[in-house]
PDB file of all heavy atoms in Angstrom:
ATOM      1  N   ILE A   1      22.636  -5.278  -7.840  1.00  0.00           N
ATOM      2  CA  ILE A   1      23.288  -5.022  -9.125  1.00  0.00           C
ATOM      3  C   ILE A   1      24.244  -3.833  -8.970  1.00  0.00           C
ATOM      4  O   ILE A   1      23.854  -2.763  -8.524  1.00  0.00           O
ATOM      5  CB  ILE A   1      22.253  -4.720 -10.233  1.00  0.00           C
ATOM      6  CG1 ILE A   1      21.169  -5.807 -10.270  1.00  0.00           C
ATOM      7  CG2 ILE A   1      22.942  -4.583 -11.581  1.00  0.00           C
ATOM      8  CD1 ILE A   1      21.691  -7.192 -10.574  1.00  0.00           C
ATOM      9  N   LYS A   2      25.492  -4.027  -9.351  1.00  0.00           N
ATOM     10  CA  LYS A   2      26.511  -2.986  -9.206  1.00  0.00           C
ATOM     11  C   LYS A   2      26.943  -2.449 -10.568  1.00  0.00           C
ATOM     12  O   LYS A   2      26.725  -3.078 -11.594  1.00  0.00           O
ATOM     13  CB  LYS A   2      27.726  -3.539  -8.454  1.00  0.00           C
ATOM     14  CG  LYS A   2      27.389  -4.215  -7.126  1.00  0.00           C
ATOM     15  CD  LYS A   2      26.739  -3.262  -6.150  1.00  0.00           C
ATOM     16  CE  LYS A   2      26.421  -3.959  -4.823  1.00  0.00           C
ATOM     17  NZ  LYS A   2      25.726  -3.048  -3.884  1.00  0.00           N
ATOM     18  N   GLY A   3      27.601  -1.287 -10.546  1.00  0.00           N
ATOM     19  CA  GLY A   3      28.123  -0.733 -11.786  1.00  0.00           C
ATOM     20  C   GLY A   3      28.183   0.767 -11.738  1.00  0.00           C
ATOM     21  O   GLY A   3      27.980   1.399 -10.697  1.00  0.00           O
ATOM     22  N   SER A   4      28.441   1.384 -12.883  1.00  0.00           N
ATOM     23  CA  SER A   4      28.608   2.828 -12.987  1.00  0.00           C
ATOM     24  C   SER A   4      27.266   3.530 -13.190  1.00  0.00           C
ATOM     25  O   SER A   4      26.303   2.940 -13.690  1.00  0.00           O
ATOM     26  CB  SER A   4      29.525   3.174 -14.169  1.00  0.00           C
ATOM     27  OG  SER A   4      30.747   2.471 -14.077  1.00  0.00           O
ATOM     28  N   GLY A   5      27.235   4.818 -12.798  1.00  0.00           N
ATOM     29  CA  GLY A   5      26.055   5.627 -13.065  1.00  0.00           C
ATOM     30  C   GLY A   5      24.800   5.062 -12.436  1.00  0.00           C
ATOM     31  O   GLY A   5      24.753   4.751 -11.243  1.00  0.00           O
ATOM     32  N   LYS A   6      23.782   4.875 -13.267  1.00  0.00           N
ATOM     33  CA  LYS A   6      22.490   4.383 -12.784  1.00  0.00           C
ATOM     34  C   LYS A   6      22.370   2.872 -12.916  1.00  0.00           C
ATOM     35  O   LYS A   6      21.262   2.324 -12.932  1.00  0.00           O
ATOM     36  CB  LYS A   6      21.362   5.080 -13.546  1.00  0.00           C
ATOM     37  CG  LYS A   6      21.312   6.595 -13.278  1.00  0.00           C
ATOM     38  CD  LYS A   6      20.094   7.218 -13.944  1.00  0.00           C
ATOM     39  CE  LYS A   6      19.917   8.666 -13.504  1.00  0.00           C
ATOM     40  NZ  LYS A   6      20.688   9.626 -14.259  1.00  0.00           N
ATOM     41  N   SER A   7      23.478   2.185 -12.983  1.00  0.00           N
ATOM     42  CA  SER A   7      23.477   0.731 -13.145  1.00  0.00           C
ATOM     43  C   SER A   7      22.630   0.037 -12.076  1.00  0.00           C
ATOM     44  O   SER A   7      22.784   0.294 -10.889  1.00  0.00           O
ATOM     45  CB  SER A   7      24.906   0.189 -13.065  1.00  0.00           C
ATOM     46  OG  SER A   7      25.673   0.615 -14.162  1.00  0.00           O
ATOM     47  N   GLY A   8      21.738  -0.820 -12.524  1.00  0.00           N
ATOM     48  CA  GLY A   8      20.934  -1.620 -11.602  1.00  0.00           C
ATOM     49  C   GLY A   8      19.719  -0.915 -11.045  1.00  0.00           C
ATOM     50  O   GLY A   8      18.921  -1.510 -10.321  1.00  0.00           O
ATOM     51  N   LEU A   9      19.550   0.357 -11.370  1.00  0.00           N
ATOM     52  CA  LEU A   9      18.384   1.096 -10.881  1.00  0.00           C
ATOM     53  C   LEU A   9      17.107   0.521 -11.491  1.00  0.00           C
ATOM     54  O   LEU A   9      17.005   0.344 -12.697  1.00  0.00           O
ATOM     55  CB  LEU A   9      18.515   2.570 -11.262  1.00  0.00           C
ATOM     56  CG  LEU A   9      17.374   3.493 -10.827  1.00  0.00           C
ATOM     57  CD1 LEU A   9      17.391   3.685  -9.321  1.00  0.00           C
ATOM     58  CD2 LEU A   9      17.478   4.842 -11.537  1.00  0.00           C
ATOM     59  N   LEU A  10      16.144   0.217 -10.660  1.00  0.00           N
ATOM     60  CA  LEU A  10      14.835  -0.263 -11.113  1.00  0.00           C
ATOM     61  C   LEU A  10      13.785   0.523 -10.353  1.00  0.00           C
ATOM     62  O   LEU A  10      13.730   0.478  -9.120  1.00  0.00           O
ATOM     63  CB  LEU A  10      14.685  -1.764 -10.860  1.00  0.00           C
ATOM     64  CG  LEU A  10      13.337  -2.393 -11.264  1.00  0.00           C
ATOM     65  CD1 LEU A  10      13.097  -2.237 -12.761  1.00  0.00           C
ATOM     66  CD2 LEU A  10      13.293  -3.871 -10.876  1.00  0.00           C
ATOM     67  N   THR A  11      12.958   1.268 -11.066  1.00  0.00           N
ATOM     68  CA  THR A  11      11.975   2.118 -10.398  1.00  0.00           C
ATOM     69  C   THR A  11      10.644   2.088 -11.136  1.00  0.00           C
ATOM     70  O   THR A  11      10.567   1.768 -12.329  1.00  0.00           O
ATOM     71  CB  THR A  11      12.441   3.581 -10.317  1.00  0.00           C
ATOM     72  OG1 THR A  11      12.609   4.094 -11.640  1.00  0.00           O
ATOM     73  CG2 THR A  11      13.731   3.716  -9.535  1.00  0.00           C
ATOM     74  N   ILE A  12       9.604   2.435 -10.376  1.00  0.00           N
ATOM     75  CA  ILE A  12       8.289   2.678 -10.934  1.00  0.00           C
ATOM     76  C   ILE A  12       7.834   4.016 -10.379  1.00  0.00           C
ATOM     77  O   ILE A  12       8.300   4.463  -9.321  1.00  0.00           O
ATOM     78  CB  ILE A  12       7.293   1.541 -10.579  1.00  0.00           C
ATOM     79  CG1 ILE A  12       6.000   1.675 -11.402  1.00  0.00           C
ATOM     80  CG2 ILE A  12       6.997   1.516  -9.071  1.00  0.00           C
ATOM     81  CD1 ILE A  12       5.118   0.438 -11.350  1.00  0.00           C
ATOM     82  N   ASP A  13       6.949   4.677 -11.090  1.00  0.00           N
ATOM     83  CA  ASP A  13       6.458   5.985 -10.654  1.00  0.00           C
ATOM     84  C   ASP A  13       5.494   5.788  -9.485  1.00  0.00           C
ATOM     85  O   ASP A  13       4.281   5.719  -9.663  1.00  0.00           O
ATOM     86  CB  ASP A  13       5.769   6.688 -11.824  1.00  0.00           C
ATOM     87  CG  ASP A  13       5.298   8.083 -11.468  1.00  0.00           C
ATOM     88  OD1 ASP A  13       5.963   8.728 -10.638  1.00  0.00           O
ATOM     89  OD2 ASP A  13       4.271   8.515 -12.022  1.00  0.00           O
ATOM     90  N   VAL A  14       6.049   5.715  -8.292  1.00  0.00           N
ATOM     91  CA  VAL A  14       5.261   5.360  -7.109  1.00  0.00           C
ATOM     92  C   VAL A  14       4.433   6.551  -6.636  1.00  0.00           C
ATOM     93  O   VAL A  14       4.904   7.684  -6.615  1.00  0.00           O
ATOM     94  CB  VAL A  14       6.179   4.855  -5.970  1.00  0.00           C
ATOM     95  CG1 VAL A  14       7.154   5.914  -5.519  1.00  0.00           C
ATOM     96  CG2 VAL A  14       5.370   4.327  -4.798  1.00  0.00           C
ATOM     97  N   PRO A  15       3.180   6.320  -6.249  1.00  0.00           N
ATOM     98  CA  PRO A  15       2.313   7.426  -5.806  1.00  0.00           C
ATOM     99  C   PRO A  15       2.649   7.879  -4.387  1.00  0.00           C
ATOM    100  O   PRO A  15       3.355   7.204  -3.635  1.00  0.00           O
ATOM    101  CB  PRO A  15       0.904   6.806  -5.841  1.00  0.00           C
ATOM    102  CG  PRO A  15       1.038   5.492  -6.550  1.00  0.00           C
ATOM    103  CD  PRO A  15       2.449   5.054  -6.371  1.00  0.00           C
ATOM    104  N   GLY A  16       2.103   9.039  -4.028  1.00  0.00           N
ATOM    105  CA  GLY A  16       2.153   9.515  -2.654  1.00  0.00           C
ATOM    106  C   GLY A  16       0.916   9.056  -1.903  1.00  0.00           C
ATOM    107  O   GLY A  16       0.449   7.927  -2.082  1.00  0.00           O
ATOM    108  N   GLN A  17       0.341   9.926  -1.095  1.00  0.00           N
ATOM    109  CA  GLN A  17      -0.825   9.561  -0.288  1.00  0.00           C
ATOM    110  C   GLN A  17      -2.124   9.637  -1.082  1.00  0.00           C
ATOM    111  O   GLN A  17      -3.124   9.038  -0.693  1.00  0.00           O
ATOM    112  CB  GLN A  17      -0.917  10.480   0.933  1.00  0.00           C
ATOM    113  CG  GLN A  17       0.255  10.375   1.901  1.00  0.00           C
ATOM    114  CD  GLN A  17       0.382   8.995   2.515  1.00  0.00           C
ATOM    115  OE1 GLN A  17       1.235   8.199   2.117  1.00  0.00           O
ATOM    116  NE2 GLN A  17      -0.470   8.692   3.466  1.00  0.00           N
ATOM    117  N   GLU A  18      -2.098  10.380  -2.193  1.00  0.00           N
ATOM    118  CA  GLU A  18      -3.304  10.538  -2.995  1.00  0.00           C
ATOM    119  C   GLU A  18      -3.436   9.420  -4.023  1.00  0.00           C
ATOM    120  O   GLU A  18      -2.445   8.833  -4.463  1.00  0.00           O
ATOM    121  CB  GLU A  18      -3.293  11.893  -3.721  1.00  0.00           C
ATOM    122  CG  GLU A  18      -3.475  13.095  -2.809  1.00  0.00           C
ATOM    123  CD  GLU A  18      -2.226  13.480  -2.042  1.00  0.00           C
ATOM    124  OE1 GLU A  18      -1.126  13.042  -2.458  1.00  0.00           O
ATOM    125  OE2 GLU A  18      -2.333  14.210  -1.043  1.00  0.00           O
ATOM    126  N   VAL A  19      -4.675   9.131  -4.404  1.00  0.00           N
ATOM    127  CA  VAL A  19      -4.960   8.154  -5.454  1.00  0.00           C
ATOM    128  C   VAL A  19      -5.321   8.930  -6.712  1.00  0.00           C
ATOM    129  O   VAL A  19      -6.379   9.549  -6.792  1.00  0.00           O
ATOM    130  CB  VAL A  19      -6.115   7.221  -5.044  1.00  0.00           C
ATOM    131  CG1 VAL A  19      -6.423   6.228  -6.166  1.00  0.00           C
ATOM    132  CG2 VAL A  19      -5.779   6.483  -3.756  1.00  0.00           C
ATOM    133  N   ILE A  20      -4.405   8.904  -7.687  1.00  0.00           N
ATOM    134  CA  ILE A  20      -4.556   9.716  -8.899  1.00  0.00           C
ATOM    135  C   ILE A  20      -4.331   8.830 -10.117  1.00  0.00           C
ATOM    136  O   ILE A  20      -3.481   7.940 -10.104  1.00  0.00           O
ATOM    137  CB  ILE A  20      -3.537  10.874  -8.902  1.00  0.00           C
ATOM    138  CG1 ILE A  20      -3.713  11.749  -7.657  1.00  0.00           C
ATOM    139  CG2 ILE A  20      -3.675  11.723 -10.159  1.00  0.00           C
ATOM    140  CD1 ILE A  20      -2.651  12.821  -7.504  1.00  0.00           C
ATOM    141  N   GLU A  21      -5.084   9.080 -11.163  1.00  0.00           N
ATOM    142  CA  GLU A  21      -4.889   8.352 -12.412  1.00  0.00           C
ATOM    143  C   GLU A  21      -3.477   8.609 -12.916  1.00  0.00           C
ATOM    144  O   GLU A  21      -3.013   9.737 -12.974  1.00  0.00           O
ATOM    145  CB  GLU A  21      -5.917   8.831 -13.444  1.00  0.00           C
ATOM    146  CG  GLU A  21      -5.838   8.101 -14.762  1.00  0.00           C
ATOM    147  CD  GLU A  21      -6.858   8.605 -15.769  1.00  0.00           C
ATOM    148  OE1 GLU A  21      -7.635   9.524 -15.424  1.00  0.00           O
ATOM    149  OE2 GLU A  21      -6.868   8.095 -16.904  1.00  0.00           O
ATOM    150  N   ARG A  22      -2.773   7.516 -13.274  1.00  0.00           N
ATOM    151  CA  ARG A  22      -1.390   7.644 -13.730  1.00  0.00           C
ATOM    152  C   ARG A  22      -1.104   6.586 -14.778  1.00  0.00           C
ATOM    153  O   ARG A  22      -1.920   5.700 -15.038  1.00  0.00           O
ATOM    154  CB  ARG A  22      -0.415   7.548 -12.554  1.00  0.00           C
ATOM    155  CG  ARG A  22      -0.447   6.241 -11.804  1.00  0.00           C
ATOM    156  CD  ARG A  22       0.532   6.239 -10.623  1.00  0.00           C
ATOM    157  NE  ARG A  22       0.218   7.267  -9.662  1.00  0.00           N
ATOM    158  CZ  ARG A  22       1.027   8.294  -9.378  1.00  0.00           C
ATOM    159  NH1 ARG A  22       2.187   8.419  -9.980  1.00  0.00           N
ATOM    160  NH2 ARG A  22       0.684   9.173  -8.484  1.00  0.00           N
ATOM    161  N   THR A  23       0.081   6.663 -15.376  1.00  0.00           N
ATOM    162  CA  THR A  23       0.433   5.750 -16.465  1.00  0.00           C
ATOM    163  C   THR A  23       1.384   4.639 -16.036  1.00  0.00           C
ATOM    164  O   THR A  23       1.778   3.825 -16.859  1.00  0.00           O
ATOM    165  CB  THR A  23       1.083   6.530 -17.627  1.00  0.00           C
ATOM    166  OG1 THR A  23       2.226   7.233 -17.120  1.00  0.00           O
ATOM    167  CG2 THR A  23       0.108   7.511 -18.236  1.00  0.00           C
ATOM    168  N   ALA A  24       1.760   4.591 -14.769  1.00  0.00           N
ATOM    169  CA  ALA A  24       2.716   3.570 -14.319  1.00  0.00           C
ATOM    170  C   ALA A  24       2.165   2.170 -14.513  1.00  0.00           C
ATOM    171  O   ALA A  24       2.893   1.243 -14.888  1.00  0.00           O
ATOM    172  CB  ALA A  24       3.063   3.802 -12.855  1.00  0.00           C
ATOM    173  N   VAL A  25       0.876   1.989 -14.245  1.00  0.00           N
ATOM    174  CA  VAL A  25       0.200   0.705 -14.426  1.00  0.00           C
ATOM    175  C   VAL A  25      -1.128   0.962 -15.123  1.00  0.00           C
ATOM    176  O   VAL A  25      -1.864   1.887 -14.760  1.00  0.00           O
ATOM    177  CB  VAL A  25      -0.051  -0.001 -13.085  1.00  0.00           C
ATOM    178  CG1 VAL A  25      -0.931  -1.233 -13.273  1.00  0.00           C
ATOM    179  CG2 VAL A  25       1.266  -0.397 -12.430  1.00  0.00           C
ATOM    180  N   THR A  26      -1.421   0.154 -16.127  1.00  0.00           N
ATOM    181  CA  THR A  26      -2.685   0.293 -16.843  1.00  0.00           C
ATOM    182  C   THR A  26      -3.379  -1.065 -16.922  1.00  0.00           C
ATOM    183  O   THR A  26      -2.770  -2.060 -17.328  1.00  0.00           O
ATOM    184  CB  THR A  26      -2.464   0.823 -18.272  1.00  0.00           C
ATOM    185  OG1 THR A  26      -1.763   2.063 -18.202  1.00  0.00           O
ATOM    186  CG2 THR A  26      -3.783   1.023 -18.991  1.00  0.00           C
ATOM    187  N   LEU A  27      -4.635  -1.087 -16.525  1.00  0.00           N
ATOM    188  CA  LEU A  27      -5.462  -2.284 -16.656  1.00  0.00           C
ATOM    189  C   LEU A  27      -6.271  -2.172 -17.942  1.00  0.00           C
ATOM    190  O   LEU A  27      -7.138  -1.307 -18.071  1.00  0.00           O
ATOM    191  CB  LEU A  27      -6.403  -2.412 -15.458  1.00  0.00           C
ATOM    192  CG  LEU A  27      -5.805  -2.951 -14.160  1.00  0.00           C
ATOM    193  CD1 LEU A  27      -6.732  -2.681 -12.983  1.00  0.00           C
ATOM    194  CD2 LEU A  27      -5.532  -4.437 -14.276  1.00  0.00           C
ATOM    195  N   THR A  28      -5.955  -3.015 -18.915  1.00  0.00           N
ATOM    196  CA  THR A  28      -6.747  -3.106 -20.137  1.00  0.00           C
ATOM    197  C   THR A  28      -7.678  -4.310 -20.007  1.00  0.00           C
ATOM    198  O   THR A  28      -7.535  -5.101 -19.061  1.00  0.00           O
ATOM    199  CB  THR A  28      -5.842  -3.264 -21.368  1.00  0.00           C
ATOM    200  OG1 THR A  28      -5.285  -4.585 -21.367  1.00  0.00           O
ATOM    201  CG2 THR A  28      -4.722  -2.231 -21.363  1.00  0.00           C
ATOM    202  N   PRO A  29      -8.624  -4.500 -20.925  1.00  0.00           N
ATOM    203  CA  PRO A  29      -9.521  -5.656 -20.792  1.00  0.00           C
ATOM    204  C   PRO A  29      -8.804  -6.996 -20.700  1.00  0.00           C
ATOM    205  O   PRO A  29      -9.285  -7.920 -20.037  1.00  0.00           O
ATOM    206  CB  PRO A  29     -10.367  -5.566 -22.070  1.00  0.00           C
ATOM    207  CG  PRO A  29     -10.415  -4.104 -22.375  1.00  0.00           C
ATOM    208  CD  PRO A  29      -9.051  -3.588 -22.009  1.00  0.00           C
ATOM    209  N   LYS A  30      -7.629  -7.123 -21.322  1.00  0.00           N
ATOM    210  CA  LYS A  30      -6.940  -8.411 -21.339  1.00  0.00           C
ATOM    211  C   LYS A  30      -5.586  -8.416 -20.638  1.00  0.00           C
ATOM    212  O   LYS A  30      -5.050  -9.504 -20.369  1.00  0.00           O
ATOM    213  CB  LYS A  30      -6.746  -8.882 -22.786  1.00  0.00           C
ATOM    214  CG  LYS A  30      -8.052  -9.205 -23.500  1.00  0.00           C
ATOM    215  CD  LYS A  30      -7.790  -9.794 -24.879  1.00  0.00           C
ATOM    216  CE  LYS A  30      -9.105 -10.183 -25.558  1.00  0.00           C
ATOM    217  NZ  LYS A  30      -8.874 -10.778 -26.904  1.00  0.00           N
ATOM    218  N   SER A  31      -5.034  -7.245 -20.348  1.00  0.00           N
ATOM    219  CA  SER A  31      -3.661  -7.202 -19.836  1.00  0.00           C
ATOM    220  C   SER A  31      -3.512  -6.246 -18.670  1.00  0.00           C
ATOM    221  O   SER A  31      -4.341  -5.362 -18.454  1.00  0.00           O
ATOM    222  CB  SER A  31      -2.691  -6.778 -20.948  1.00  0.00           C
ATOM    223  OG  SER A  31      -2.777  -7.634 -22.060  1.00  0.00           O
ATOM    224  N   ILE A  32      -2.416  -6.448 -17.923  1.00  0.00           N
ATOM    225  CA  ILE A  32      -1.934  -5.469 -16.958  1.00  0.00           C
ATOM    226  C   ILE A  32      -0.585  -4.992 -17.478  1.00  0.00           C
ATOM    227  O   ILE A  32       0.357  -5.790 -17.614  1.00  0.00           O
ATOM    228  CB  ILE A  32      -1.773  -6.092 -15.553  1.00  0.00           C
ATOM    229  CG1 ILE A  32      -3.109  -6.634 -15.049  1.00  0.00           C
ATOM    230  CG2 ILE A  32      -1.209  -5.062 -14.575  1.00  0.00           C
ATOM    231  CD1 ILE A  32      -3.010  -7.402 -13.744  1.00  0.00           C
ATOM    232  N   ILE A  33      -0.502  -3.719 -17.790  1.00  0.00           N
ATOM    233  CA  ILE A  33       0.730  -3.171 -18.376  1.00  0.00           C
ATOM    234  C   ILE A  33       1.459  -2.371 -17.305  1.00  0.00           C
ATOM    235  O   ILE A  33       0.913  -1.411 -16.752  1.00  0.00           O
ATOM    236  CB  ILE A  33       0.419  -2.286 -19.589  1.00  0.00           C
ATOM    237  CG1 ILE A  33      -0.363  -3.088 -20.636  1.00  0.00           C
ATOM    238  CG2 ILE A  33       1.707  -1.723 -20.184  1.00  0.00           C
ATOM    239  CD1 ILE A  33      -0.860  -2.252 -21.800  1.00  0.00           C
ATOM    240  N   VAL A  34       2.689  -2.764 -17.020  1.00  0.00           N
ATOM    241  CA  VAL A  34       3.513  -2.127 -16.001  1.00  0.00           C
ATOM    242  C   VAL A  34       4.668  -1.405 -16.681  1.00  0.00           C
ATOM    243  O   VAL A  34       5.410  -2.013 -17.465  1.00  0.00           O
ATOM    244  CB  VAL A  34       4.065  -3.168 -15.005  1.00  0.00           C
ATOM    245  CG1 VAL A  34       4.972  -2.502 -13.983  1.00  0.00           C
ATOM    246  CG2 VAL A  34       2.925  -3.915 -14.321  1.00  0.00           C
ATOM    247  N   CYS A  35       4.817  -0.120 -16.395  1.00  0.00           N
ATOM    248  CA  CYS A  35       5.905   0.675 -16.978  1.00  0.00           C
ATOM    249  C   CYS A  35       7.015   0.866 -15.949  1.00  0.00           C
ATOM    250  O   CYS A  35       6.756   1.338 -14.840  1.00  0.00           O
ATOM    251  CB  CYS A  35       5.388   2.032 -17.431  1.00  0.00           C
ATOM    252  SG  CYS A  35       4.171   1.949 -18.763  1.00  0.00           S
ATOM    253  N   LEU A  36       8.224   0.514 -16.313  1.00  0.00           N
ATOM    254  CA  LEU A  36       9.366   0.576 -15.407  1.00  0.00           C
ATOM    255  C   LEU A  36      10.510   1.361 -16.030  1.00  0.00           C
ATOM    256  O   LEU A  36      10.659   1.401 -17.255  1.00  0.00           O
ATOM    257  CB  LEU A  36       9.855  -0.830 -15.067  1.00  0.00           C
ATOM    258  CG  LEU A  36       8.874  -1.757 -14.354  1.00  0.00           C
ATOM    259  CD1 LEU A  36       9.410  -3.183 -14.345  1.00  0.00           C
ATOM    260  CD2 LEU A  36       8.616  -1.280 -12.939  1.00  0.00           C
ATOM    261  N   SER A  37      11.322   1.954 -15.177  1.00  0.00           N
ATOM    262  CA  SER A  37      12.579   2.568 -15.602  1.00  0.00           C
ATOM    263  C   SER A  37      13.720   1.705 -15.080  1.00  0.00           C
ATOM    264  O   SER A  37      13.727   1.328 -13.900  1.00  0.00           O
ATOM    265  CB  SER A  37      12.702   3.993 -15.054  1.00  0.00           C
ATOM    266  OG  SER A  37      11.704   4.826 -15.595  1.00  0.00           O
ATOM    267  N   VAL A  38      14.665   1.389 -15.957  1.00  0.00           N
ATOM    268  CA  VAL A  38      15.739   0.451 -15.606  1.00  0.00           C
ATOM    269  C   VAL A  38      17.083   1.037 -16.023  1.00  0.00           C
ATOM    270  O   VAL A  38      17.272   1.439 -17.171  1.00  0.00           O
ATOM    271  CB  VAL A  38      15.533  -0.921 -16.283  1.00  0.00           C
ATOM    272  CG1 VAL A  38      16.624  -1.898 -15.844  1.00  0.00           C
ATOM    273  CG2 VAL A  38      14.153  -1.480 -15.995  1.00  0.00           C
ATOM    274  N   GLY A  39      18.026   1.079 -15.082  1.00  0.00           N
ATOM    275  CA  GLY A  39      19.390   1.476 -15.397  1.00  0.00           C
ATOM    276  C   GLY A  39      20.196   0.257 -15.812  1.00  0.00           C
ATOM    277  O   GLY A  39      20.511  -0.598 -14.974  1.00  0.00           O
ATOM    278  N   LEU A  40      20.499   0.157 -17.090  1.00  0.00           N
ATOM    279  CA  LEU A  40      21.249  -1.014 -17.582  1.00  0.00           C
ATOM    280  C   LEU A  40      22.689  -0.949 -17.076  1.00  0.00           C
ATOM    281  O   LEU A  40      23.357   0.083 -17.218  1.00  0.00           O
ATOM    282  CB  LEU A  40      21.203  -1.057 -19.106  1.00  0.00           C
ATOM    283  CG  LEU A  40      19.795  -1.281 -19.693  1.00  0.00           C
ATOM    284  CD1 LEU A  40      19.808  -1.129 -21.204  1.00  0.00           C
ATOM    285  CD2 LEU A  40      19.272  -2.666 -19.304  1.00  0.00           C
ATOM    286  N   PRO A  41      23.198  -2.030 -16.486  1.00  0.00           N
ATOM    287  CA  PRO A  41      24.488  -1.992 -15.786  1.00  0.00           C
ATOM    288  C   PRO A  41      25.693  -1.869 -16.713  1.00  0.00           C
ATOM    289  O   PRO A  41      25.708  -2.413 -17.817  1.00  0.00           O
ATOM    290  CB  PRO A  41      24.507  -3.320 -15.027  1.00  0.00           C
ATOM    291  CG  PRO A  41      23.541  -4.203 -15.721  1.00  0.00           C
ATOM    292  CD  PRO A  41      22.500  -3.319 -16.318  1.00  0.00           C
ATOM    293  N   ALA A  42      26.683  -1.139 -16.218  1.00  0.00           N
ATOM    294  CA  ALA A  42      27.906  -0.925 -16.989  1.00  0.00           C
ATOM    295  C   ALA A  42      29.087  -0.786 -16.045  1.00  0.00           C
ATOM    296  O   ALA A  42      28.938  -0.417 -14.880  1.00  0.00           O
ATOM    297  CB  ALA A  42      27.778   0.332 -17.841  1.00  0.00           C
ATOM    298  N   GLN A  43      30.249  -1.088 -16.554  1.00  0.00           N
ATOM    299  CA  GLN A  43      31.495  -0.805 -15.865  1.00  0.00           C
ATOM    300  C   GLN A  43      32.184   0.266 -16.686  1.00  0.00           C
ATOM    301  O   GLN A  43      32.636   0.011 -17.804  1.00  0.00           O
ATOM    302  CB  GLN A  43      32.380  -2.056 -15.786  1.00  0.00           C
ATOM    303  CG  GLN A  43      33.667  -1.849 -15.001  1.00  0.00           C
ATOM    304  CD  GLN A  43      33.395  -1.551 -13.529  1.00  0.00           C
ATOM    305  OE1 GLN A  43      32.598  -2.234 -12.895  1.00  0.00           O
ATOM    306  NE2 GLN A  43      34.042  -0.522 -12.992  1.00  0.00           N
ATOM    307  N   GLY A  44      32.224   1.491 -16.145  1.00  0.00           N
ATOM    308  CA  GLY A  44      32.629   2.607 -16.987  1.00  0.00           C
ATOM    309  C   GLY A  44      31.542   2.817 -18.023  1.00  0.00           C
ATOM    310  O   GLY A  44      30.396   3.082 -17.688  1.00  0.00           O
ATOM    311  N   ARG A  45      31.928   2.656 -19.290  1.00  0.00           N
ATOM    312  CA  ARG A  45      30.931   2.726 -20.357  1.00  0.00           C
ATOM    313  C   ARG A  45      30.926   1.447 -21.185  1.00  0.00           C
ATOM    314  O   ARG A  45      30.683   1.469 -22.400  1.00  0.00           O
ATOM    315  CB  ARG A  45      31.181   3.958 -21.238  1.00  0.00           C
ATOM    316  CG  ARG A  45      30.707   5.247 -20.568  1.00  0.00           C
ATOM    317  CD  ARG A  45      30.932   6.470 -21.426  1.00  0.00           C
ATOM    318  NE  ARG A  45      30.216   7.630 -20.909  1.00  0.00           N
ATOM    319  CZ  ARG A  45      30.627   8.378 -19.879  1.00  0.00           C
ATOM    320  NH1 ARG A  45      31.753   8.065 -19.261  1.00  0.00           N
ATOM    321  NH2 ARG A  45      29.913   9.409 -19.482  1.00  0.00           N
ATOM    322  N   ARG A  46      31.131   0.327 -20.477  1.00  0.00           N
ATOM    323  CA  ARG A  46      31.086  -0.971 -21.142  1.00  0.00           C
ATOM    324  C   ARG A  46      29.980  -1.833 -20.537  1.00  0.00           C
ATOM    325  O   ARG A  46      29.699  -1.770 -19.341  1.00  0.00           O
ATOM    326  CB  ARG A  46      32.428  -1.691 -21.040  1.00  0.00           C
ATOM    327  CG  ARG A  46      33.540  -0.940 -21.777  1.00  0.00           C
ATOM    328  CD  ARG A  46      34.703  -1.842 -22.160  1.00  0.00           C
ATOM    329  NE  ARG A  46      35.600  -1.167 -23.103  1.00  0.00           N
ATOM    330  CZ  ARG A  46      35.426  -1.161 -24.416  1.00  0.00           C
ATOM    331  NH1 ARG A  46      34.402  -1.813 -24.945  1.00  0.00           N
ATOM    332  NH2 ARG A  46      36.264  -0.517 -25.213  1.00  0.00           N
ATOM    333  N   VAL A  47      29.342  -2.600 -21.386  1.00  0.00           N
ATOM    334  CA  VAL A  47      28.198  -3.433 -21.005  1.00  0.00           C
ATOM    335  C   VAL A  47      28.615  -4.484 -19.979  1.00  0.00           C
ATOM    336  O   VAL A  47      29.616  -5.182 -20.150  1.00  0.00           O
ATOM    337  CB  VAL A  47      27.596  -4.123 -22.253  1.00  0.00           C
ATOM    338  CG1 VAL A  47      26.569  -5.180 -21.844  1.00  0.00           C
ATOM    339  CG2 VAL A  47      27.000  -3.096 -23.201  1.00  0.00           C
TER     340      VAL A  47
END
């Protein structure tokens, strides 16, 4: 994905070597909730 600024950026809060409770992914009794950061693509400042 190309564009200006953070266009096309897709990230998750990835851990290091340690296993620590975090909010990037949450297992609930019925769901797996994944939190992502996304750079919506633009050319200049147009969609």
Side-chain angles (χ1 to χ4, degrees):
I1 309 299
K2 308 299 180 183
S4 306
K6 295 186 171 85
S7 293
L9 180 70
L10 179 61
T11 62
I12 191 167
D13 183 32
V14 62
Q17 297 298 103
E18 290 78 18
V19 179
I20 302 174
E21 182 181 359
R22 62 181 61 244
T23 57
V25 172
T26 303
L27 282 165
T28 72
K30 294 186 177 181
S31 303
I32 300 173
I33 303 173
V34 177
C35 296
L36 299 169
S37 296
V38 183
L40 295 173
Q43 184 65 47
R45 283 181 167 79
R46 296 202 168 274
V47 170

